[in-house]
Amino acid sequence: LARFAFENLKRRPSLLGVRRRPRSLFDNAQQQPRHLSSLRQSETDNEACDELPSYVAELVKEYASMDQTPFSLQMLMRSGRGEYLSHQTPTSLTADLATDEQILIQVASLLREEIPIRLAYRIQDLDQIPILRDMEAVQRVKKIYIDSLLALLNIPSISSKREEENFAFILEDLYAKHSGVLVQMARGAYQLRAAVRKGEIKGILENEDSELEFERMHLCHNFLDRFYTSRIGIRVLAGQYLALRGEATSNYIGMIRLNTSPSAIVRKAADDARMMCIRQYDNAPRVDIIGQLDLTFPYIPTYLHYILLELLKNAMRATAERHSDRGLLPPVTVVIADGKDNEDVVIKIMDEGGGIPRSQVNKIWSYLFTTADAAVQDGFIGELDHDDKAPIAGLGYGLPISRSYVRYFGGELDLMSMEGYGTDAFIHLKRLGDSKEPLPV
C-alpha cells in the first residue's frame, strides 16, 4: 500500500472543544505531500462501485475509527450567531474579517473535519451489509459517498475568505449530487424485494433454507436506519452552513426558523397532500386544524413539512380508499397541543381510514415493507428525495424516514390504530432543541 502524506490529515482539536484520538495512518509517511486528486480516482469512475480500491479502503478504515461529534439544534443556532468564535484564536488572516465571514470560516473548517468521518462510517457500512450491498442502486450510492470523501479530503485547511468560498463551492456541488440518494436507496430496497419475490435470494440470513421474507431482514433494516439517520445529520450540517452563506432572512439562522409555526406548515402540507390525493383518487378529505394555532418555536420548517406531508398523505389515502363509495369523505383532524411547561410540542393527526391490522403495525416501520403494487414502484420516475412526482404511496420509506427526522432532534413519532375505524399519529417535537444527534456507528 502506497502511503501518502498531506497536510490536511494532521490531527487537530475540534473547533468546539471536542478532541478526537490522533490519526495514525499517515504519521510516519516518507513521501512528499500530494493532493488526493492525483490518486487513482479512475478506480471509482464507474457508475457503481462493487469493491473498494485498496487505498480507499485504508482511508475509510482510518476515518471510520475516529469519533463523530454530535450537534443539537441549539448548537447550530449558537454557531450561526457566532457564539463559538471565542473558542478559537484569531489568525492574521481572520482577525480583520467581519463577524459573518469569521462564522463561515469556523463552520466550514468544522465541516471539513467532521463530514469525511461521517462519510467513512457509511461507506464502511455500505460495503459490509449482506445482500443489500449487491444491489446496483446501493453500489451507485456507495460510489457517490466515496467520491465525496475524496473530494473533501483534497481540500486544504480553511483560514481565509477565499478558501472558505472554495470549500462552499465544492460542498454545494456535493450537496446537489447527494439529493437523490434517498430515492436511490429506496430503489435498492425495491431491487431486493424484487429479487426475493422471484426467489433469487434464499438462505442468506441465519442459514435459512426457505425464501427470505424481506420485512424480517433485521440486519438490512437496522443498516438502513443507521444510514438514513446519518444522512439526515450530514445534510442538516451542510444545509445549515450553505444557508448561512445566503442572504439573511428575518427570523432565520441558516435554515432554522426561530418562529416556526406548526399550524402554517400543517396547512401547506395539507394542501400538497390534497393535490396528490385528488390526482390519485379524484377526491380528498378536508383537513381540520384545532388546538394551539398561534404556537411558534425554533425548528427547521422543511423537515417538519416533510414529516407532516407523509402522515397526511397516509391519512388521506386510507380515507379515500376506505370511503371510495362516498362523495363527501370524513375529514382528517390535526390537533396541535402545547403549554408553557410542556416538554414537547405534540401534533396529532386523526383519520377514519379503517386503521391498520395489529399484525401489520410493526411492519410499517420497516424500510423494506410497502403495501403498494410493484407496478407503482416500477413506474416511479422521480429523482430527488422529496420529488413531487412521487405516488401517494408505494416507495416504502415514508413512515420510517419521517420517524428518523423526528428522532434526529430528540422527538418521537408513534401510531395508535383502531382496526375497522382509523389511525392516530402522534408527533412529539422537542421544544428546547437541546437534544444532540443520535449518531449511528
Side-chain angles (χ1 to χ4, degrees):
L1 172 68
R3 301 174 68 84
F4 306 105
F6 35 87
E7 190 65 27
N8 63 313
L9 284 183
K10 289 181 178 177
R11 169 51 57 218
R12 64 187 187 283
S14 166
L15 293 170
L16 297 185
V18 179
R19 302 186 69 91
R20 302 193 182 102
R21 71 171 186 79
R23 295 173 180 166
S24 59
L25 179 60
F26 303 97
D27 286 352
N28 299 314
Q30 300 299 316
Q31 295 179 322
Q32 293 298 315
R34 55 187 297 195
H35 289 295
L36 279 169
S37 59
S38 65
L39 299 181
R40 295 169 291 152
Q41 291 201 8
S42 61
E43 294 183 33
T44 64
D45 283 343
N46 295 328
E47 290 188 356
C49 179
D50 185 7
E51 298 296 331
L52 294 180
S54 58
Y55 75 95
V56 173
E58 285 295 328
L59 285 172
V60 168
K61 181 179 179 181
E62 177 64 14
Y63 274 80
S65 68
M66 300 176 192
D67 295 330
Q68 302 171 92
T69 302
F71 296 88
S72 67
L73 199 65
Q74 286 288 348
M75 292 172 71
L76 294 179
M77 289 191 290
R78 293 181 65 187
S79 63
R81 293 189 184 108
E83 295 181 25
Y84 293 117
L85 289 177
S86 60
H87 290 212
Q88 70 179 45
T89 303
T91 68
S92 58
L93 294 175
T94 62
D96 296 330
L97 294 176
T99 299
D100 288 349
E101 293 170 344
Q102 292 184 43
I103 291 172
L104 292 176
I105 289 173
Q106 183 186 54
V107 176
S109 298
L110 176 63
L111 298 191
R112 172 184 167 270
E113 179 179 291
E114 180 67 20
I115 293 180
I117 297 173
R118 299 193 182 196
L119 291 174
Y121 274 86
R122 301 286 66 81
I123 294 169
Q124 191 174 71
D125 223 4
L126 285 162
D127 196 52
Q128 295 175 355
I129 181 65
I131 312 172
L132 197 56
R133 68 184 175 195
D134 297 324
M135 303 300 111
E136 181 182 1
V138 176
Q139 292 180 6
R140 289 174 182 268
V141 169
K142 185 167 68 173
K143 180 187 181 301
I144 292 173
Y145 272 62
I146 291 171
D147 290 347
S148 301
L149 175 65
L150 297 180
L152 291 172
L153 292 183
N154 193 42
I155 300 174
S157 59
I158 302 168
S159 57
S160 69
K161 181 179 179 181
R162 182 174 179 179
E163 291 167 345
E164 183 273 324
E165 290 173 344
N166 177 64
F167 174 80
F169 178 81
I170 295 171
L171 188 65
E172 188 169 16
D173 180 63
L174 296 178
Y175 191 83
K177 288 179 178 177
H178 281 249
S179 62
V181 162
L182 191 154
V183 171
Q184 282 288 343
M185 291 299 290
R187 284 196 178 114
Y190 167 64
Q191 290 168 357
L192 178 58
R193 284 193 291 265
V196 171
R197 282 197 304 269
K198 295 174 183 177
E200 296 174 355
I201 302 177
K202 298 178 183 292
I204 303 299
L205 293 181
E206 300 176 351
N207 297 318
E208 293 176 356
D209 294 327
S210 60
E211 184 178 287
L212 286 173
E213 296 182 30
F214 50 79
E215 62 265 36
R216 295 181 182 176
M217 300 167 86
H218 299 302
L219 283 177
C220 289
H221 173 78
N222 292 338
F223 156 77
L224 288 168
D225 209 33
R226 293 192 302 271
F227 180 86
Y228 286 130
T229 300
S230 174
R231 182 174 184 277
I232 291 169
I234 292 172
R235 288 190 73 76
V236 166
L237 294 182
Q240 174 69 0
Y241 162 68
L242 294 173
L244 287 172
R245 302 192 82 257
E247 186 175 347
T249 304
S250 177
N251 294 317
Y252 275 86
I253 299 176
M255 61 182 182
I256 303 168
R257 180 161 185 163
L258 302 179
N259 60 343
T260 299
S261 168
S263 63
I265 297 178
V266 168
R267 291 188 189 96
K268 177 65 170 65
D271 289 343
D272 293 341
R274 277 181 54 83
M275 178 185 67
M276 300 173 78
C277 190
I278 291 171
R279 185 173 64 197
Q280 184 91 12
Y281 301 103
D282 294 324
N283 199 0
R286 77 173 190 271
V287 176
D288 296 335
I289 309 172
I290 60 176
Q292 299 294 321
L293 304 186
D294 58 348
L295 164 69
T296 63
F297 73 115
Y299 211 75
I300 300 178
T302 52
Y303 293 155
L304 183 54
H305 176 272
Y306 174 77
I307 295 161
L308 290 166
L309 178 61
E310 286 299 322
L311 293 171
L312 287 168
K313 281 195 309 181
N314 288 344
M316 289 187 182
R317 173 202 175 200
T319 302
E321 292 182 351
R322 172 80 170 178
H323 304 279
S324 59
D325 57 341
R326 294 174 55 176
L328 182 62
L329 301 176
V332 172
T333 303
V334 179
V335 182
I336 301 172
D338 180 60
K340 291 182 179 180
D341 298 325
N342 286 16
E343 179 178 321
D344 297 330
V345 173
V346 184
I347 303 173
K348 179 167 72 168
I349 299 175
M350 302 179 290
D351 69 61
E352 297 178 30
I356 305 166
R358 191 159 56 92
S359 62
Q360 300 291 310
V361 169
N362 288 334
K363 293 180 180 179
I364 65 174
W365 300 114
S366 172
Y367 298 98
L368 302 173
F369 176 76
T370 178
T371 58
D373 188 270
V376 174
Q377 300 169 68
D378 284 334
F380 177 50
I381 59 173
E383 293 293 336
L384 303 181
D385 279 4
H386 311 319
D387 201 309
D388 61 8
K389 299 183 183 69
I392 194 167
L395 297 181
Y397 57 74
L399 277 176
I401 282 290
S402 296
R403 187 168 68 172
S404 293
Y405 274 115
V406 174
R407 287 178 170 178
Y408 178 77
F409 285 123
E412 188 55 88
L413 173 59
D414 295 309
L415 293 183
M416 293 187 65
S417 183
M418 181 184 292
E419 186 178 6
Y421 183 79
T423 300
D424 293 354
F426 295 85
I427 308 169
H428 297 259
L429 305 172
K430 192 81 170 177
R431 282 189 61 135
L432 299 178
D434 55 355
S435 295
K436 292 186 177 181
E437 304 169 273
L439 293 177
V441 296

